[in-house]
Amino acid sequence: MKKIKTRDRILDTSLALFNSVGEPNVTTLLISDELDISPGNLYYHFKSKGDIVDELFGRFEEEMLDLLAVPEDVDISLDQQGFFLHLLFETVARYRFIYQDLVNVLSRYEQLQGRFRRLRARKTTAFQVICESFRRQEMMEIGSEQLQALCEQLTLTACYWSSFDTLSHLDDREAVDPGRGVYQMMHLVIPYLTADDQDQARLMSRDYL
C-alpha cells in the first residue's frame, strides 16, 4: 500500500476533527495527539491552524469551482439538475465545518472572505444557467425578476442548509444527509415548472429522502 504523506494525514485528520467537533474547538495539539505525532512535526508542515484551514478551503474551492462550471449552451434535464444538486451537497458535507460555523470561520480567517464571496456568486450564476435552460426548453414558467429571486433563494439554501440541518442533531454532527438538502432545493424550483415536469420533479425529490 502507498504510504500517505504526513502532510496529507494532517489535512485529512484536521478535516475529520473540524467536521466532528467544530473548527473553533480544535487545536493544533489535539490534531497532533490524534495523529500521534509531536507538535513540532505538525509545525514543520503547517505554521498554524490557520494554514491548515486555508489549505482545506483551497481543496474545497477547487472542487466547487469545477462543479459550478455549468455550460450555458446545453439543454439541462431534471435528472441532471438533481445530480448536480446531489454533488453540490456531497461537497458541502465533506467540508461542512466551513458552513456549520460559516460566520465564525470567515470572521477569524479574513483571507477567505473574498474567496467565499466569489464562490457564492458562482453558485448563483450556476442556478441561473440551469433555470434559463429550463425556461428555454419551456419546462419552466418564470419572469426575470422572479428568476433572480429564486436563484438567490437557492444560493441561500445551499449556503445555510448544512447549518440548519445540524440544529436537528447537535449531539451528532456526523449525521449529515445531503439528500435532505437536494429535496429542499428541488421543492424551491417545482412551483415554477410546468405540470408534467412538476410531477417528475416531485417523484425525483422523494427518492433523495
Side-chain angles (χ1 to χ4, degrees), residues 16-66:
L17 288 171
F18 291 165
N19 284 340
S20 62
V21 301
E23 180 273 335
N25 301 314
V26 178
T27 64
T28 52
L29 182 59
L30 178 59
I31 297 168
S32 60
D33 284 347
E34 188 73 15
L35 285 163
D36 196 23
I37 62 174
S38 68
N41 194 351
L42 186 148
Y43 289 128
Y44 173 79
H45 297 279
F46 297 97
K47 300 302 182 186
S48 67
K49 188 177 76 166
D51 289 341
I52 297 174
V53 171
D54 191 77
E55 187 145 341
L56 286 174
F57 189 92
R59 287 183 174 186
F60 161 74
E61 186 177 36
E62 184 177 357
E63 290 185 36
M64 288 295 289
L65 288 174
D66 184 57

Coordinates of all heavy atoms in Angstrom, one line a residue, residues 16-66:
A16 N -11.5 15.9 9.5 CA -12.4 15.0 10.3 C -12.7 15.6 11.6 O -13.8 15.6 12.1 CB -11.7 13.6 10.4
L17 N -11.7 16.2 12.3 CA -11.9 16.8 13.6 C -12.8 18.1 13.5 O -13.7 18.3 14.2 CB -10.6 17.1 14.2 CG -9.8 16.0 14.8 CD1 -8.4 16.4 15.2 CD2 -10.5 15.3 16.0
F18 N -12.4 18.9 12.5 CA -13.2 20.1 12.3 C -14.7 19.8 12.0 O -15.6 20.5 12.6 CB -12.7 20.9 11.0 CG -11.3 21.5 11.2 CD1 -10.6 22.0 10.1 CD2 -10.8 21.7 12.5 CE1 -9.4 22.5 10.2 CE2 -9.5 22.2 12.6 CZ -8.8 22.7 11.5
N19 N -14.9 18.8 11.2 CA -16.3 18.4 10.9 C -17.0 17.8 12.1 O -18.2 18.0 12.3 CB -16.3 17.3 9.8 CG -16.1 18.0 8.4 OD1 -16.2 19.2 8.2 ND2 -15.7 17.1 7.5
S20 N -16.3 17.0 12.9 CA -17.0 16.3 14.0 C -17.2 17.2 15.3 O -18.3 17.0 15.9 CB -16.2 15.1 14.4 OG -14.9 15.4 14.9
V21 N -16.3 18.1 15.6 CA -16.5 18.9 16.8 C -16.5 20.4 16.6 O -16.7 21.1 17.5 CB -15.4 18.5 17.8 CG1 -15.4 17.1 18.2 CG2 -14.0 19.0 17.3
G22 N -16.3 20.8 15.3 CA -16.3 22.2 15.0 C -14.9 22.8 15.0 O -14.1 22.5 15.9
E23 N -14.6 23.5 14.0 CA -13.2 24.1 13.8 C -12.8 24.9 15.0 O -11.6 24.8 15.5 CB -13.2 24.9 12.5 CG -11.8 25.5 12.2 CD -11.7 26.9 12.9 OE1 -12.7 27.5 13.2 OE2 -10.5 27.3 13.2
P24 N -13.6 25.7 15.6 CA -13.2 26.5 16.8 C -12.7 25.7 18.0 O -11.9 26.2 18.8 CB -14.4 27.4 17.1 CG -15.2 27.5 15.9 CD -15.0 26.1 15.3
N25 N -13.2 24.5 18.1 CA -12.9 23.6 19.2 C -11.7 22.7 19.0 O -11.3 21.9 19.9 CB -14.1 22.7 19.5 CG -15.4 23.5 19.8 OD1 -15.3 24.5 20.6 ND2 -16.5 23.1 19.2
V26 N -11.0 22.9 17.9 CA -9.9 22.0 17.5 C -8.6 22.9 17.6 O -8.5 24.0 17.1 CB -10.0 21.5 16.1 CG1 -8.8 20.6 15.8 CG2 -11.2 20.6 16.0
T27 N -7.6 22.3 18.3 CA -6.3 23.0 18.5 C -5.3 22.1 17.7 O -5.5 21.0 17.4 CB -5.9 23.1 19.9 OG1 -5.7 21.8 20.5 CG2 -7.0 23.8 20.8
T28 N -4.1 22.8 17.5 CA -3.0 22.0 16.8 C -2.6 20.9 17.7 O -2.1 19.8 17.3 CB -1.9 22.9 16.5 OG1 -1.5 23.7 17.7 CG2 -2.2 23.9 15.4
L29 N -2.7 21.1 19.1 CA -2.3 20.0 20.0 C -3.2 18.8 19.9 O -2.8 17.6 19.9 CB -2.3 20.5 21.4 CG -1.9 19.5 22.5 CD1 -0.4 19.0 22.3 CD2 -2.0 20.2 23.9
L30 N -4.5 19.1 19.7 CA -5.5 18.0 19.5 C -5.2 17.2 18.2 O -5.3 16.0 18.2 CB -6.9 18.6 19.5 CG -8.0 17.6 19.3 CD1 -8.0 16.5 20.3 CD2 -9.4 18.3 19.2
I31 N -4.9 18.0 17.2 CA -4.6 17.3 15.9 C -3.3 16.5 16.0 O -3.3 15.3 15.5 CB -4.4 18.4 14.8 CG1 -5.6 19.2 14.6 CG2 -3.9 17.8 13.5 CD1 -5.4 20.5 13.7
S32 N -2.3 17.0 16.6 CA -1.0 16.2 16.8 C -1.3 15.0 17.7 O -0.7 13.9 17.4 CB 0.1 17.0 17.3 OG -0.2 17.6 18.6
D33 N -2.1 15.1 18.7 CA -2.4 14.0 19.6 C -3.2 12.9 18.8 O -2.9 11.7 18.9 CB -3.2 14.4 20.8 CG -2.4 15.1 21.8 OD1 -1.2 15.0 21.7 OD2 -3.0 15.7 22.7
E34 N -4.1 13.3 18.0 CA -4.9 12.4 17.2 C -4.1 11.6 16.2 O -4.3 10.5 15.9 CB -6.0 13.2 16.4 CG -7.0 12.3 15.7 CD -8.0 11.7 16.7 OE1 -8.1 12.1 17.8 OE2 -8.7 10.7 16.2
L35 N -3.0 12.3 15.7 CA -2.1 11.7 14.7 C -1.0 10.9 15.4 O -0.3 10.2 14.7 CB -1.5 12.7 13.8 CG -2.5 13.3 12.7 CD1 -1.9 14.6 12.2 CD2 -2.6 12.3 11.6
D36 N -0.8 11.1 16.7 CA 0.3 10.5 17.4 C 1.6 11.0 16.9 O 2.5 10.2 16.7 CB 0.2 9.0 17.4 CG 1.1 8.4 18.5 OD1 1.4 9.1 19.5 OD2 1.4 7.2 18.3
I37 N 1.7 12.3 16.6 CA 2.9 12.9 16.2 C 3.2 14.1 17.1 O 2.4 14.5 17.9 CB 2.9 13.4 14.7 CG1 1.9 14.5 14.6 CG2 2.6 12.3 13.8 CD1 1.9 15.2 13.2
S38 N 4.5 14.5 17.1 CA 4.8 15.7 18.0 C 4.3 17.0 17.4 O 4.2 17.1 16.2 CB 6.3 15.7 18.2 OG 6.9 16.2 16.9
P39 N 4.0 18.0 18.3 CA 3.6 19.3 17.8 C 4.6 19.9 16.8 O 4.3 20.5 15.8 CB 3.5 20.1 19.0 CG 3.1 19.1 20.1 CD 3.9 17.9 19.8
G40 N 5.9 19.6 17.1 CA 7.0 20.1 16.2 C 6.9 19.5 14.8 O 7.1 20.2 13.8
N41 N 6.5 18.3 14.7 CA 6.3 17.6 13.4 C 5.2 18.3 12.6 O 5.3 18.5 11.4 CB 6.0 16.1 13.6 CG 6.2 15.3 12.3 OD1 6.4 15.9 11.2 ND2 6.1 14.0 12.4
L42 N 4.1 18.6 13.4 CA 3.0 19.3 12.7 C 3.4 20.7 12.2 O 3.1 21.1 11.1 CB 1.8 19.4 13.7 CG 0.5 19.9 13.1 CD1 -0.7 19.3 13.8 CD2 0.4 21.4 13.3
Y43 N 4.1 21.4 13.1 CA 4.5 22.8 12.8 C 5.5 22.8 11.6 O 5.7 23.8 11.0 CB 5.1 23.5 14.0 CG 4.0 23.8 15.0 CD1 4.1 23.5 16.3 CD2 2.8 24.5 14.6 CE1 3.2 23.8 17.3 CE2 1.8 24.8 15.5 CZ 2.0 24.5 16.9 OH 1.0 24.8 17.8
Y44 N 6.2 21.7 11.4 CA 7.1 21.6 10.3 C 6.4 21.7 9.0 O 6.9 22.3 8.0 CB 7.9 20.3 10.3 CG 8.7 20.0 9.1 CD1 10.0 20.6 8.9 CD2 8.3 19.2 8.1 CE1 10.8 20.4 7.8 CE2 9.1 18.9 6.9 CZ 10.3 19.5 6.8 OH 11.1 19.3 5.7
H45 N 5.2 21.2 8.9 CA 4.3 21.2 7.7 C 3.4 22.4 7.7 O 3.1 22.9 6.6 CB 3.5 19.9 7.6 CG 4.4 18.7 7.5 ND1 4.9 18.2 6.3 CD2 4.7 17.7 8.5 CE1 5.6 17.1 6.5 NE2 5.5 16.8 7.8
F46 N 2.9 22.8 8.8 CA 1.9 23.9 8.9 C 2.3 24.8 10.1 O 2.4 24.3 11.2 CB 0.5 23.4 9.0 CG 0.0 22.6 7.9 CD1 0.0 21.2 7.9 CD2 -0.5 23.3 6.7 CE1 -0.4 20.5 6.8 CE2 -0.9 22.5 5.7 CZ -0.9 21.1 5.7
K47 N 2.5 26.1 9.8 CA 2.9 27.0 10.9 C 1.8 27.3 11.9 O 2.1 27.7 13.0 CB 3.4 28.3 10.3 CG 4.6 28.2 9.3 CD 5.8 27.5 10.0 CE 6.9 27.4 9.0 NZ 8.1 26.6 9.6
S48 N 0.6 27.1 11.5 CA -0.5 27.4 12.4 C -1.8 26.6 11.9 O -1.8 26.1 10.8 CB -0.8 28.9 12.4 OG -1.3 29.3 11.1
K49 N -2.8 26.6 12.8 CA -4.1 26.0 12.4 C -4.7 26.8 11.2 O -5.3 26.2 10.4 CB -5.0 26.0 13.6 CG -6.3 25.2 13.3 CD -7.3 25.2 14.5 CE -8.0 26.5 14.7 NZ -9.1 26.3 15.6
G50 N -4.4 28.1 11.2 CA -5.0 28.9 10.1 C -4.4 28.4 8.7 O -5.2 28.4 7.7
D51 N -3.2 28.0 8.7 CA -2.6 27.4 7.4 C -3.3 26.2 7.0 O -3.5 25.9 5.8 CB -1.1 27.2 7.6 CG -0.3 28.4 7.7 OD1 -0.8 29.5 7.3 OD2 0.8 28.4 8.2
I52 N -3.7 25.3 8.0 CA -4.5 24.1 7.7 C -5.8 24.5 7.2 O -6.3 23.9 6.1 CB -4.6 23.2 9.0 CG1 -3.2 22.8 9.5 CG2 -5.5 22.0 8.7 CD1 -3.2 22.0 10.8
V53 N -6.5 25.4 7.8 CA -7.8 25.8 7.3 C -7.7 26.4 5.9 O -8.6 26.1 5.1 CB -8.4 26.9 8.3 CG1 -9.7 27.5 7.7 CG2 -8.7 26.3 9.7
D54 N -6.7 27.2 5.7 CA -6.5 27.8 4.4 C -6.4 26.7 3.3 O -7.0 26.8 2.2 CB -5.3 28.7 4.4 CG -5.3 29.6 3.1 OD1 -6.0 30.5 3.0 OD2 -4.4 29.3 2.2
E55 N -5.6 25.7 3.5 CA -5.3 24.7 2.5 C -6.6 23.8 2.3 O -6.9 23.4 1.2 CB -4.1 23.8 2.9 CG -3.8 22.8 1.8 CD -2.3 22.6 1.7 OE1 -1.5 23.4 2.3 OE2 -1.9 21.5 1.1
L56 N -7.3 23.5 3.4 CA -8.5 22.7 3.3 C -9.6 23.5 2.5 O -10.3 23.0 1.6 CB -9.1 22.4 4.6 CG -8.4 21.3 5.4 CD1 -8.9 21.1 6.8 CD2 -8.4 19.9 4.7
F57 N -9.6 24.8 2.7 CA -10.5 25.7 1.9 C -10.1 25.7 0.5 O -11.0 25.7 -0.4 CB -10.5 27.1 2.5 CG -11.6 28.0 1.9 CD1 -12.8 28.1 2.5 CD2 -11.4 28.7 0.7 CE1 -13.8 28.9 1.9 CE2 -12.4 29.5 0.1 CZ -13.6 29.6 0.8
G58 N -8.8 25.6 0.2 CA -8.4 25.6 -1.2 C -8.8 24.3 -1.9 O -9.2 24.3 -3.1
R59 N -8.8 23.2 -1.2 CA -9.3 21.9 -1.7 C -10.8 22.1 -2.0 O -11.3 21.7 -3.1 CB -9.1 20.8 -0.7 CG -7.7 20.3 -0.6 CD -7.7 19.1 0.4 NE -6.4 18.5 0.5 CZ -6.2 17.4 1.2 NH1 -7.2 16.8 1.8 NH2 -5.0 16.8 1.2
F60 N -11.6 22.6 -1.1 CA -13.0 22.8 -1.2 C -13.3 23.7 -2.4 O -14.2 23.5 -3.2 CB -13.6 23.4 0.1 CG -14.9 24.0 -0.1 CD1 -16.0 23.3 -0.2 CD2 -15.0 25.4 0.0 CE1 -17.3 23.9 -0.4 CE2 -16.2 26.0 -0.1 CZ -17.4 25.3 -0.3
E61 N -12.5 24.8 -2.5 CA -12.7 25.8 -3.5 C -12.5 25.2 -4.9 O -13.3 25.4 -5.8 CB -11.7 26.9 -3.3 CG -11.9 28.1 -4.2 CD -10.9 29.2 -3.8 OE1 -9.8 28.9 -3.4 OE2 -11.3 30.4 -3.9
E62 N -11.5 24.4 -5.0 CA -11.2 23.7 -6.3 C -12.3 22.8 -6.7 O -12.7 22.8 -7.9 CB -9.9 23.0 -6.2 CG -9.4 22.3 -7.5 CD -8.1 21.6 -7.4 OE1 -7.5 21.7 -6.3 OE2 -7.6 21.0 -8.4
E63 N -12.8 22.0 -5.8 CA -13.9 21.1 -6.1 C -15.2 21.9 -6.5 O -15.9 21.5 -7.5 CB -14.2 20.2 -4.9 CG -13.1 19.2 -4.6 CD -13.5 18.2 -3.5 OE1 -14.7 17.8 -3.4 OE2 -12.7 17.8 -2.7
M64 N -15.5 22.9 -5.8 CA -16.7 23.7 -6.0 C -16.6 24.4 -7.4 O -17.6 24.4 -8.1 CB -17.0 24.7 -4.9 CG -17.4 24.1 -3.6 SD -19.0 23.3 -3.8 CE -20.1 24.7 -3.9
L65 N -15.5 25.0 -7.7 CA -15.3 25.8 -8.9 C -15.5 24.8 -10.1 O -16.1 25.2 -11.2 CB -14.0 26.5 -9.0 CG -13.8 27.7 -8.1 CD1 -12.4 28.2 -8.1 CD2 -14.8 28.8 -8.5
D66 N -15.0 23.6 -10.0 CA -15.1 22.6 -11.1 C -16.6 22.2 -11.2 O -17.1 22.2 -12.4 CB -14.3 21.4 -10.8 CG -14.3 20.4 -11.9 OD1 -14.0 20.7 -13.0 OD2 -14.7 19.2 -11.6

